[in-house]
Amino acid sequence: MKIVLVGHGMVGHKFLEALRQLQFPAADVTVLGEEPRTAYDRVHLSDFFAGKTAEDLSLVEPGFFADTGFDLRLNSRAAAIDRRAKTVTTQDGVTLSYDKLVLATGSYPFVPPVKGSDRGQCFVYRTIEDLEAMKEASAISRKGVVVGGGLLGLECAKALRDLGLETHVVEFAPRLMAVQVDDDGGRILRSKIEALGVQVHTERNTLEITDGRQARHRMVFADGSHLETDMIVFSAGIRPRDELARQNALAVGARGGIAIDDQCRTSDPDIYAIGECAAWRDQTFGLVAPGYEMARIAARQLAGEAGAVFAGADMSTKLKLMGVDVASIGDAHGRTPGCRSFRYTDECKQIYKKIVVSADGKHLLGAVLVGNADEYGTLLQMALNGIALPEAPEFLILPAGDGKARPGLGAHELPDSAQICSCNNVSKEQICTAVAEGATSIGEIKACTQAGATCGGCVPLVTQIMKAEMAKLGMAVTDHLCEHFPHSRQELYHLVRVGGIRSFDELLARHGRGLGCDICKPTAASIFASCWNDFVLKGELASLQDSNDYFLGNIQKDGSYSVVPRMPGGEVTPDGLIAVAQVAKKYGLYTKITGGQRVDLFGARVEQLPLIWEELIAAGFESGHAYGKSLRTVKSCVGSTWCRYGVQDSVGLAVELENRYKGLRAPHKIKFGVSGCTRECAEAQGKDVGIIATERGWNLYVCGNGGMKPRHAELIASDLDKTALVRLIDRFLMFYIRTADRLQRTSTWRDNLEGGLDYLKAVLIDDSLGIGDELERQMQHVVDTYQCEWKTAVTDPGVRRRFRSFVNDPQPDARIVFVEERGQIRPARADERVPALAATAELST
Amino acid sequence: MSTKKPRWTAVCKIGDILPGTGVCALVEDHHVAVFRLGEDGFYAIDNIDPRSGASVLSRGLIGNLGEHLVVASPLYKNHFDLRTGACLEAPEHSVRAHRVQVRGEAVFVSLSTLS
């Protein structure tokens, strides 16, 4: 079957993914994409200005087209359809024949018919090309206006703000997000948005755009007022791209859009339409979830599943606009006859919540949440599944008082068929099945069901269902560290600190049972180190350390170790580099530059480690703690010392901070970054602690992460001097060490922190728990008792003699074998190691 | 198990093994992990981790999981029973356990043969 897909946007690509998943072998698929690039995530378009690249936003996994054999043609706009001949012709004159044609042409931004809207520096907000043009214009602009205060308009305002412009939003309606939010919610939303530095002008009807006096443009409004600006972005809604349908006499919806039936077929049974270009029962859908559903339906129809039908879509939404939670569910405006509502407004914290219930008070019809949308998952499920409301439904949105738990929606109350993730259409039943098949973390659930993998709004509910199912199946869901301690890591930390406990035997005797294991021993060792900071290989402590900490190196797949000397701030002298190089050469080590701006030396056998370190120490190096759950590096850019843009000495600060916190043991590794100006060359916002120089001092960001799940760090204080900065970092790190779970990076810790960023700021900056001094004192103790572990290890004969491959033979481990690749060593693969293996052949007498 | 008289090899002194840790000994060209659990519990299993082929099991952390006395491989963290060599997570990756004897201060190992 020859299938031609017109349009390679989010929905078009989902259709291709669905075809692949159905393993539809007879499909010969050609894809025409108008844009110069493959499908990307338009939902997160504004991230482009927050540092994401077009590649980051891409939705196409590498090798997708090569693997599927789908023929992708970019820069190819479909210009005409010949329904009788069943062909499509592109604007370049290429004609393709089809058996089935799928239109996923999307929509175009609506520009109101305002005189002057075609002037230069006026933009729309839809494609990466639009964004690139906006970015270019922003460089020569000071002020920007977004026309349209809807969902997309506010996203766009965030983009302008991220570009550093004075940002205004002009809206025709009396409130922001008029479709999703009511008047009271709109008021709170407006004040929150304005507090973020965006000026909002509602009830403004733009009549004309003319030359400005102070700026490039002047927007003249119907009420006689005006606003001057350097650039304008129109984001006043979207319109379906249905021109191909109109040219070919396909039926269209009453308000535009290509009319489709429940099978996603147009009035020509060989032509399908999906996504924003389609009108189902005269309704078009500007959200991605219904488009994805249509894509799946169309693919299944083509694969012969007659039973696959589109049954409409829930238009509930939850999003974060410039850090402000906004959510809207079902009948948000209370238009159902006889319905009644409950409202809660907190003007201090700027929170608004409303629920709309049925006339008999038994069912939830809709909701609006602004400022805090924690209840979204519960309320959505109640509305979608018609679950009976509790007796006093107002408590669903009122803040919990006196520590009483909110009447939540137990996961067990949801029917198996309840759709939990609307983006990827995942039911409760699918999540439970995944748990039964062994997925017991949110990451595994995402990987095998896709639940929560698109917008992430349902993650709390998915987690709740996962835990409930695990409990049902008898799996442990306590926060106990392991079978030996009926306590969480946080509780153990407290017990150690308060009880002055310094040994594992004492900890086990007082608070645990059994012999310990590979979970609790290193955890205890880390807590002891954070609290008392004794040498990690001293006496009994050595037996608690993971292999990496025991040998003070990172174990590699073949049992050899890597060696990383500390280079604070990434600064190293030529002599230092020569010394490192000489050691590497002498011991035949593989060398690689790390992401943390230092040098990693691989391939050292245990008995070589003390010799290598003796030489490195003699050359002035210290342990880099690359093996520890501890401070790794403080990455820096060269800063004001050399860089023409730098405003502060970032290297100097990085060196100072690395020396202050080196050796600090924590629940997981910690990385810092210091940038000398807002260009952020040190990528500090991807670090646990990120510091960015300003004209007046330093901005402090915390809880960022690169790696598996990138997370931007959040700003907690601005324009700090060095003393204030160090004090805040002391408090932050010690508070993290005190409260985090084992192996929990600061980013996950922050995501799970009750009360979120506001709470963290209150503890660190306002000292709301009254522990600020204590945290600083505890950190100062760690700083004052620092020692280079390698220096201690090589000078202690008792410790040093443990570094050998065999207790009864000085020979090296012959199983560690290297071969050469690109001029350096690498571990031999099993087949290359055969001669060496023969030497230690299995005994078979 | 062989019915032959076991051959015992002296591998080290008690004091060579820090309580709660292990060492690797060469016994008739075999890599054997010898552990000391507490002050006077000695156990020996193959040192080679079947999953990686690396000679590392003596460097794992020891303790108990329920009834089992175990070592966790330092590479992939799978657990081996110190008394039987059974891999708890993947029985196909089990190793052999060997006999250990302490005479005076000396630790002796006798290899078990392939069954």
Side-chain angles (χ1 to χ4, degrees), chain A residues 483-484 518 521 801 807 815, chain B residues 16 24 26 53 62 64 66 79:
Chain A
E483 66 178 74
H484 305 102
D518 56 308
K521 283 183 171 181
R801 56 196 278 270
V807 70
R815 295 181 62 90
Chain B
D16 290 329
C24 177
L26 261 187
I62 54 179
N64 77 298
H79 296 89

Side-chain angles (χ1 to χ4, degrees), chain A residues 483-484 514-516 518 521-522 539 542-547 551 556-559 561 801-802 805-809 811 813 815 833 841-845, chain B residues 11-12 16 18-21 23-26 30-31 37 48 52-56 59 61-66 69 72 74-75 77 79 96 111 113-114:
Chain A
E483 66 178 74
H484 305 102
L515 302 169
D518 56 308
K521 283 183 171 181
S543 69
L544 308 177
Q545 310 294 353
D546 211 335
S547 180
F551 289 106
Q556 303 300 323
K557 60 197 276 188
D558 59 347
Y561 289 82
R801 56 196 278 270
R802 297 182 202 145
S805 289
F806 303 105
V807 70
N808 57 346
D809 200 312
Q811 67 168 284
D813 175 3
R815 295 181 62 90
R833 216 166 42 171
E842 298 287 315
L843 190 75
S844 53
T845 48
Chain B
V11 293
C12 62
D16 290 329
L18 185 71
T21 70
V23 296
C24 177
L26 261 187
H30 247 69
H31 294 205
L37 194 51
I48 292 163
S52 59
S55 185
V56 294
R59 302 180 206 160
L61 280 161
I62 54 179
N64 77 298
L65 286 185
L69 299 180
L75 283 171
K77 315 291 174 194
H79 296 89
R96 285 177 301 160
L111 293 181
T113 50
L114 289 171

Side-chain angles (χ1 to χ4, degrees), chain B residues 1 4 6 23-24 33 35 51 66 68 74 85 91 93 104 108 112 114-115:
Chain B
M1 296 292 255
K4 276 193 251 172
V23 296
C24 177
F35 299 99
R51 189 160 157 200
H68 300 275
H93 283 161
F108 290 81
S112 63
L114 289 171
S115 49

Side-chain angles (χ1 to χ4, degrees), chain A residues 246 256 259 266 381 474 591 605 615 658 701 738 766 791:
Chain A
R246 291 178 190 273
T266 65
Q381 290 301 328
T591 56
R605 294 188 307 270
E615 295 188 30
E658 186 157 340
Y701 296 75
R738 178 188 276 222
D766 312 329
K791 202 173 207 167

Side-chain angles (χ1 to χ4, degrees), chain A residues 282-326:
Chain A
D282 285 337
Q283 189 186 358
T284 53
F285 299 88
L287 293 177
V288 72
Y292 277 4
E293 180 63 9
M294 290 181 200
R296 284 185 287 258
I297 299 294
R300 287 167 62 193
Q301 282 287 339
L302 289 176
E305 273 187 56
V309 291
F310 182 72
D314 175 58
M315 296 297 276
S316 300
T317 30
K318 175 189 171 190
L319 64 160
K320 223 179 184 63
L321 290 165
M322 294 186 258
V324 181
D325 281 326
V326 184

Side-chain angles (χ1 to χ4, degrees), chain A residues 63-339:
Chain A
F64 179 84
F65 287 97
D67 293 349
T68 54
F70 297 158
D71 178 9
L72 172 70
R73 306 188 185 186
L74 296 175
N75 293 308
S76 291
R77 188 170 61 80
I81 302 173
D82 182 336
R83 285 170 53 192
R84 215 165 339 143
K86 292 178 78 167
T87 60
V88 184
T89 304
T90 69
Q91 91 277 17
D92 304 326
V94 178
T95 299
L96 299 161
S97 62
Y98 65 82
D99 297 315
K100 299 284 178 188
L101 178 65
V102 179
L103 301 174
T105 45
S107 54
Y108 65 90
F110 169 67
V111 176
V114 172
K115 204 174 142 208
S117 63
D118 52 352
R119 289 162 57 96
Q121 312 297 351
C122 289
F123 304 91
V124 293
Y125 184 74
R126 172 88 187 167
T127 65
I128 286 185
E129 283 65 38
D130 293 334
L131 268 60
E132 281 169 344
M134 281 168 62
K135 199 171 194 172
E136 207 170 297
S138 73
I140 49 164
S141 300
R142 196 182 60 79
K143 217 165 143 180
V145 168
V146 178
V147 178
L151 200 152
L152 209 59
L154 294 181
E155 273 282 314
C156 182
K158 172 183 184 289
L160 289 188
R161 202 191 54 152
D162 286 347
L163 287 169
L165 300 188
E166 179 190 320
T167 305
H168 297 254
V169 172
V170 171
E171 167 61 45
F172 180 74
R175 62 171 182 271
L176 295 173
M177 290 186 68
V179 178
Q180 294 88 357
V181 169
D182 61 3
D183 275 336
D184 290 338
R187 212 165 12 251
I188 295 276
L189 177 61
R190 176 182 185 144
S191 65
K192 292 204 85 127
I193 299 283
E194 285 181 333
L196 293 165
V198 173
Q199 296 178 49
V200 178
H201 313 264
T202 49
E203 294 181 271
R204 289 291 196 286
N205 179 11
T206 312
L207 291 182
E208 192 185 8
I209 303 165
T210 61
D211 282 335
R213 294 197 188 134
Q214 275 92 43
R216 194 172 295 123
H217 307 294
R218 167 177 288 208
M219 302 173 69
V220 182
F221 303 120
D223 64 1
S225 63
H226 67 262
L227 177 63
E228 298 217 336
T229 178
D230 298 309
M231 59 186 281
I232 299 173
V233 187
F234 289 100
S235 182
I238 53 172
R239 297 289 182 270
R241 293 270 302 264
D242 54 11
E243 64 271 18
L244 281 173
R246 291 178 190 273
Q247 285 160 18
N248 291 283
L250 291 173
V252 291
R255 279 164 296 170
I258 309 165
I260 56 167
D261 61 13
D262 294 354
Q263 283 84 37
C264 296
R265 276 182 318 204
T266 65
S267 52
D268 178 335
D270 291 324
I271 303 180
Y272 290 73
I274 54 178
E276 289 175 351
C277 68
W280 178 78
R281 301 187 186 174
D282 285 337
Q283 189 186 358
T284 53
F285 299 88
L287 293 177
V288 72
Y292 277 4
E293 180 63 9
M294 290 181 200
R296 284 185 287 258
I297 299 294
R300 287 167 62 193
Q301 282 287 339
L302 289 176
E305 273 187 56
V309 291
F310 182 72
D314 175 58
M315 296 297 276
S316 300
T317 30
K318 175 189 171 190
L319 64 160
K320 223 179 184 63
L321 290 165
M322 294 186 258
V324 181
D325 281 326
V326 184
S328 168
I329 294 171
D331 183 8
H333 296 283
R335 293 192 177 118
T336 310
C339 70

Side-chain angles (χ1 to χ4, degrees), chain A residues 445-508:
Chain A
I445 296 277
K446 272 188 197 175
C448 64
T449 66
Q450 295 289 301
T454 300
C455 81
C458 62
V459 168
L461 187 60
V462 175
T463 309
Q464 203 190 334
I465 290 171
M466 177 187 81
K467 286 192 171 168
E469 190 62 17
M470 284 168 68
K472 209 166 110 189
L473 297 174
M475 300 183 200
V477 281
T478 64
D479 57 359
H480 297 177
L481 193 58
C482 62
E483 66 178 74
H484 305 102
F485 292 95
H487 298 286
S488 66
R489 182 194 166 279
Q490 180 176 353
E491 289 162 353
L492 273 189
Y493 179 91
H494 183 74
L495 293 169
V496 166
R497 178 73 84 178
V498 173
I501 298 173
R502 285 169 175 264
S503 81
F504 187 71
D505 284 347
E506 188 185 349
L507 185 64
L508 205 53

